[in-house]
């Protein structure tokens, strides 16, 4: 099949953008690893700015997937290279699922970013020639669907990849079809507009400085970098920990870990994050934390603890239900 003229010559800007996204991902994972080894506060990367940072990184990767699909297949679908790349991504996704199944069975990655990229690559081909307006409208629908289409019907394990379950399942990397395929569709739509405006022709003549060389190299080999960087980071921190171990966790950290471990057996990660912070904060404000941590709970505190648990359960259900339903 004829090769699309849009992706000739190779756009260094796309490689650079992908490389910068990889660098951001490595920063986030390094912070997560520090947290895992006890050098950073527990649950630090699951909330606030770090949580937003992680979502921006995932969105940028998927947006670039959409751009690349359009660049490679706008005029004709080049099936052999597409299938080769799809096979590599699918094999890597399966390997990550298998490894995390044994390493962290309570939060194994059954549908993470690579699983999403594999599925989105297949689905995205259907939209490389669809008008921009329709693509954007569908992207908006995909992004908003989790706010009004969630149902217990999708709670079956075989349907969790869709992303419309009543609560998000526990996983160290969960990137389901809804809402994340929306980022891919936006990438396709943006690429169409850029092509119509001649932006890709201008970018093909743009040469960033030498500072961009390592980022471009990473961008050209993004899958390999994705697979290798975490073992390298974890290994480096583990070696450092042999020389300078992390300080022993505080009583509050021990409480949070125990609370979340127990909670996540029956509830979602979002629910447990809010619930445990609520319980711990109330105990600290009332000066009861030491009793609970030390196991010297008085009858009055035991009765009060039941009230705190009940109130925080209601609050957590309200907050997480509000996030899921919009």
């Amino acid at each position: 099949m004829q090769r699309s003229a849009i992706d000739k010559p190779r756009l260094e800007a796309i490689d650079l953008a992908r490389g910068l996204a990889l660098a951001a991902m490595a920063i986030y994972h390094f912070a997560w690893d520090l947290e895992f080894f006890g050098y950073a506060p527990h649950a630090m990367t699951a909330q606030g700015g770090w949580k937003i940072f992680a979502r921006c990184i995932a969105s940028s990767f998927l947006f670039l997937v959409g751009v690349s699909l359009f660049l490679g297949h706008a005029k004709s679908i080049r099936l052999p290279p597409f299938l080769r790349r799809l096979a590599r991504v699918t094999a890597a996704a399966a390997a990550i699922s298998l490894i995390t199944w044994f390493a962290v069975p309570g939060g194994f990655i059954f549908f993470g970013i690579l699983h999403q990229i594999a599925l989105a690559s297949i689905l995205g081909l259907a939209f490389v020639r669809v008008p921009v307006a329709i693509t954007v409208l569908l992207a908006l629908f995909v992004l908003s669907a989790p706010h009004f289409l969630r149902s217990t019907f999708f709670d079956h394990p075989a349907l969790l990849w869709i992303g419309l379950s009543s609560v998000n399942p526990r996983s160290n990397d969960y990137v389901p079809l809804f809402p994340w395929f929306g980022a891919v569709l936006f990438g396709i739509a943006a690429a169409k507009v850029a092509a119509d405006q001649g932006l890709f022709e201008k970018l093909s003549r743009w040469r960033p400085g030498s500072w961009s060389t390592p980022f471009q190299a990473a961008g050209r080999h993004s899958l390999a970098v994705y697979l290798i960087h975490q073992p390298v980071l974890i290994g480096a921190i583990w070696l450092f920990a042999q020389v300078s171990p992390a300080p022993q966790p505080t009583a509050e950290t021990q409480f949070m870990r125990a609370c979340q471990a127990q909670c996540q057996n029956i509830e979602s990660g979002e629910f447990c994050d809010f619930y445990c912070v609520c319980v711990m904060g109330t105990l600290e404000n009332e000066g009861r934390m030491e009793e609970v941590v030390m196991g010297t709970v008085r009858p009055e505190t035991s009765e009060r603890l039941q009230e705190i648990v009940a109130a925080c359960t209601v609050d957590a259900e309200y907050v997480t239900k509000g996030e899921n339903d919009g």
Side-chain angles (χ1 to χ4, degrees):
M1 294 184 181
Q2 182 182 1
R3 182 179 176 88
S4 172
I6 296 176
D7 60 350
K8 285 187 176 181
R10 186 180 184 97
L11 296 177
E12 294 183 7
I14 301 298
D15 289 333
L16 176 58
R18 196 178 289 116
L20 291 172
L22 286 166
M25 177 190 65
I27 292 171
Y28 176 81
H29 283 166
F30 182 66
W32 190 94
D33 296 339
L34 289 176
E35 177 189 326
F36 179 80
F37 279 91
Y39 292 101
H42 181 65
M44 177 187 75
T45 56
Q47 55 192 337
W50 282 106
K51 185 176 182 179
I52 296 173
F53 185 44
R55 290 181 174 179
C56 289
I57 294 169
S59 297
S60 66
F61 273 114
L62 295 172
F63 181 88
L64 289 171
V65 168
V67 173
S68 296
L69 280 173
F70 180 80
L71 288 174
H73 309 286
K75 291 187 176 180
S76 62
I77 296 177
R78 299 182 294 120
L79 200 56
F82 173 81
L83 292 177
R84 286 195 297 270
R85 180 180 178 278
L86 180 64
R88 290 195 297 268
V89 173
T90 303
I96 286 178
S97 291
L98 182 63
I99 292 170
T100 56
W101 171 263
F102 289 104
V104 282
F108 92 103
I109 300 172
F110 63 91
F111 206 85
I113 187 71
L114 290 183
H115 304 73
Q116 172 65 246
I117 289 175
L119 177 61
S121 296
I122 297 172
L123 299 179
L125 284 181
F127 298 94
V128 294
R129 301 180 193 174
V130 173
V132 171
I134 295 177
T135 305
V136 170
L137 288 175
L138 183 59
L140 291 172
F141 169 77
V142 173
L143 286 174
S144 60
H147 295 290
F148 59 85
L149 288 182
R150 284 185 181 271
S151 168
T152 55
F153 172 80
F154 296 102
D155 287 351
H156 191 282
L159 301 177
L160 291 177
W161 61 273
I162 297 174
L164 296 177
S165 54
S166 58
V167 295
N168 287 336
R170 184 183 178 190
S171 176
N172 286 330
D173 185 26
Y174 182 53
V175 190
L177 180 66
F178 293 91
W180 293 100
F181 183 55
V184 178
L185 292 173
F186 274 124
I188 293 173
K192 292 176 184 177
V193 174
D196 290 341
Q197 299 299 316
L199 180 59
F200 289 127
E201 293 182 7
K202 296 177 182 177
L203 286 177
S204 68
R205 297 189 292 270
W206 180 64
R207 296 294 180 268
S210 58
W211 63 270
S212 68
T213 300
F215 296 106
Q216 289 189 58
R220 286 192 294 270
H221 306 283
S222 56
L223 181 59
V225 173
Y226 179 86
L227 295 174
I228 293 171
H229 83 283
Q230 261 293 58
V232 171
L233 289 175
I234 291 175
I237 297 175
W238 181 85
L239 289 173
F240 180 79
Q242 308 313 301
V243 179
S244 180
Q248 290 297 314
T250 63
E252 289 77 9
T253 298
Q254 294 179 25
F255 176 86
M256 282 294 293
R257 290 178 178 175
C259 176
Q260 290 188 325
Q262 183 178 16
C263 175
Q264 289 178 349
N265 288 326
I266 55 175
E267 294 287 355
S268 68
E270 290 177 319
F271 176 96
C272 294
D273 288 341
F274 185 92
Y275 166 79
C276 292
V277 168
C278 175
V279 173
M280 186 179 72
T282 307
L283 290 173
E284 288 180 334
N285 290 338
E286 297 183 4
R288 304 176 190 272
M289 176 61 75
E290 185 176 355
E291 288 183 59
V292 175
V293 173
M294 298 300 294
T296 57
V297 180
R298 295 170 297 163
E300 187 270 336
T301 295
S302 178
E303 182 178 345
R304 175 58 181 148
L305 179 60
Q306 294 180 29
E307 296 174 353
I308 294 172
V309 166
C312 287
T313 298
V314 172
D315 288 347
E317 287 178 345
Y318 176 80
V319 170
T320 55
K321 186 176 186 302
E323 289 182 355
N324 290 338
D325 294 344

